[in-house]
Amino acid sequence: MSHKTILRALAGETLPEPPIWMMRQAGRYLPEYRATREKAGDFLSLCYTPDLAAEVSLQPIRRYGFDAAILFADILLVPQALGADLWFETGEGPRLSVISGPGDLRRLKGRDDIHDRLAPVYETVRILARELPSAVTLIGFAGAPWTVASYMIAGRGTPDQGPAHALKAADRATFAALIDLLTGATIDYLSAQVEAGAEVVKLFDSWAGSLKGRDFDDFALAPAKAIIAALKARHPGLPVIAFPREAGPRYAGFARATGADCIALDSAVSPAWAAENVQTDGCVQGNLDPRHLVEGGPGLEAGVRAICDAFAGGPHIFNLGHGITPDADPANVERMIRAVRG
Ligand code: CP3
């Protein structure tokens, strides 16, 4: 039996109290993150400088003693490795060169050509594997094909993924070819992270909720299933966390259909519903609303308690329903951890 509580929960064990980490735990709410980012110059330089990227992954472990560290990188490094232009507009978010048809797709590189560009990320993983305390689990990650494609097609973040839905409707073959390219690249990228020392991988499908019906099956479920099957064939026993954010009722059955060991839940899902409909298939992760870490107050402890109580009967990893926001108070993170750890 592992001494790492995250691995035990992922293996299906019900623990006396849930292990805990936090999406975006390395981020702008922490003064030490802002200082290291300043030193790097900009966000992408931080991602591609292994010593500094490892440093910001370690900061929340030192400050709070979380049970897992997540690699510091971004889901949009994969499109960049495939040849897309990528930059971040200050205060606005990511910008990419746009994929609007078969010609743009043909100009991208193949899945085998991504590793030179991504080598610094693998080096970050190696540093973390060496430097993390022995009880802390190292999580690697990638964006799921649909979410990454939605940024590549629009060239930016969009509230409703409109451009990606439009390409899917107008030219399903080109759209499906992009999803296939990303599926292959994601398998190789995550596999390289595991070879470098990641013990768990998480697939972020932040915009899964805008896929409905057959589209959800084809472009959220099927790629996740293919990625997980290929990873587990290469790395037997590798635990995988899937995060089909805002999937609503489609959270039920997602683990069984894809082979994921754990389902990360957003805050729109009621813990009582998820205990009955998702946790019955294995570990769940989540799902405190990140706004509690801005607001604090008695709502924070009450929110933590409701989640821990609802999931106490099965395997659970405590986390937020989405990333912590830059305006969160670091002291509220401490209060959250104290509430989880009784
Ligand atoms: O601590 C961690 O969670 C690990 C690192 C991590 C980042 N991004 C760092 C980051 C992870 C796992 C991600 C995933 C990611 N990136 C997702 C999926 C999860 C989600 O939030 O839904 C998405 C959609 C992205 C794309 C992305 N990256 C956007 C839309 C933005 C801009 C929005 C924002 O919050 O500023 C980023 C930038 C980004 N990625 C930051 C961080 C810490 C902020 C950059 C900064 O320091 O200025």
Side-chain angles (χ1 to χ4, degrees), residues 24-26 28 33 37 43 70 73-75 151 206 322:
R24 288 276 171 100
Q25 62 190 22
R28 287 162 292 181
Y33 170 86
R37 184 181 182 279
F43 173 67
I70 184 159
D74 197 84
I75 65 165
Y151 286 93
S206 304
H322 201 191

Side-chain angles (χ1 to χ4, degrees), residues 21-28 33 37 43 70-76 88 92-94 141 147 151 204 206-207 243 245 322-323:
W21 69 282
M22 207 171 61
M23 280 188 263
R24 288 276 171 100
Q25 62 190 22
R28 287 162 292 181
Y33 170 86
R37 184 181 182 279
F43 173 67
I70 184 159
L71 161 69
F72 191 84
D74 197 84
I75 65 165
L76 300 178
F88 281 79
E92 287 188 48
F141 76 92
T147 287
Y151 286 93
F204 285 87
S206 304
W207 300 116
F243 183 32
R245 192 170 73 92
H322 201 191

Side-chain angles (χ1 to χ4, degrees), residues 22-197:
M22 207 171 61
M23 280 188 263
R24 288 276 171 100
Q25 62 190 22
R28 287 162 292 181
Y29 74 106
L30 286 180
E32 59 268 38
Y33 170 86
R34 295 194 299 268
T36 309
R37 184 181 182 279
E38 185 81 17
K39 197 154 121 191
D42 57 50
F43 173 67
L44 282 175
S45 305
L46 180 54
C47 292
Y48 288 120
T49 307
D51 286 336
L52 298 182
E55 166 59 23
V56 294
S57 278
L58 290 165
Q59 285 167 349
I61 307 304
R62 286 190 207 115
R63 184 190 268 253
Y64 296 116
F66 285 119
D67 297 301
I70 184 159
L71 161 69
F72 191 84
D74 197 84
I75 65 165
L76 300 178
L77 303 188
V78 167
Q80 192 177 34
L82 286 167
D85 296 330
L86 171 68
W87 67 103
F88 281 79
E89 291 287 346
T90 317
E92 287 188 48
R95 296 288 183 274
L96 298 92
S97 47
V98 168
I99 303 288
S100 57
D104 298 322
L105 189 61
R106 269 195 304 275
R107 276 187 291 277
L108 293 178
K109 298 179 187 169
R111 68 187 271 189
D112 297 329
D113 300 322
I114 61 173
H115 298 296
D116 283 349
R117 193 79 175 82
L118 294 168
V121 176
Y122 310 146
E123 182 56 22
T124 304
V125 175
R126 279 191 288 272
I127 296 171
L128 287 169
R130 211 162 55 222
E131 299 204 351
L132 277 171
S134 66
V136 179
T137 300
L138 176 54
I139 302 176
F141 76 92
W146 158 250
T147 287
V148 174
S150 77
Y151 286 93
M152 295 178 81
I153 295 164
R156 59 193 299 156
T158 48
D160 58 359
Q161 297 72 61
H165 286 291
L167 180 65
K168 170 161 59 64
D171 183 354
R172 202 165 173 101
T174 295
F175 177 81
L178 176 59
I179 295 288
D180 284 348
L181 172 64
L182 288 169
T183 300
T186 303
I187 292 166
D188 295 345
Y189 178 49
L190 289 174
S191 193
Q193 291 181 28
V194 173
E195 279 154 25

